[in-house]
């Protein structure tokens, strides 16, 4: 399947994350860590924990960016914070669909 930037939409963090991963793995597009970086930055800036995590990994290894351990730590911390924050629409249900009490 060919990956398109049109699938990301302006507010769809999961699509940006999926497209970034496709770029990092060369699935349906050329392998390019550099192309993944702005997509992960976009998702991370909107509170998407996995985007922050993957962005941190890129900075740790210097893939598509200059290696920077301070940025790795920053994005790793942001990922931890976002991972435990509940969005208003997630607060009333668990991942299994059961209602929280």
């Amino acid at each position: 399947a060919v990956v398109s930037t049109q699938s990301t939409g302006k507010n769809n963090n999961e699509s940006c994350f999926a497209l970034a991963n496709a770029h990092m793995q060369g699935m349906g597009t050329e392998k390019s860590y550099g192309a993944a970086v702005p997509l992960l930055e976009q998702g991370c800036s909107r509170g998407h924990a996995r985007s922050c995590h993957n962005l941190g990994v890129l900075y740790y290894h210097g893939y598509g960016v200059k290696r920077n351990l301070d940025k790795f730590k920053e994005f790793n911390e942001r990922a931890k914070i976002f991972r435990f924050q509940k969005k208003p629409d997630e607060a009333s249900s668990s991942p299994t669909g059961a209602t929280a009490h």
Side-chain angles (χ1 to χ4, degrees), residues 82-96:
F82 294 145
R83 189 170 291 127
F84 296 107
Q85 286 180 345
K86 295 281 187 187
K87 296 188 177 29
D89 59 333
E90 296 172 339
S92 63
S93 64
S94 70
T96 61

Side-chain angles (χ1 to χ4, degrees), residues 7-8 11-21 43 48-51:
S7 68
T8 61
N11 296 312
N12 193 329
N13 293 335
E14 284 298 323
S15 292
C16 285
F17 179 74
L19 183 55
N21 282 334
H48 190 259
R50 293 184 298 162
S51 292

Side-chain angles (χ1 to χ4, degrees), residues 6-7 15 18 23-24 30-31 36 44 49 58-60 63 67 74 76 79 92 94 96-97 101:
Q6 292 177 339
S7 68
S15 292
H23 280 295
M24 290 188 299
E30 262 186 62
K31 186 172 184 174
C44 185
L58 294 182
Y59 275 104
Y60 180 83
Y63 296 155
R67 188 168 195 243
E74 173 192 340
N76 192 41
S92 63
S94 70
T96 61
H101 295 1

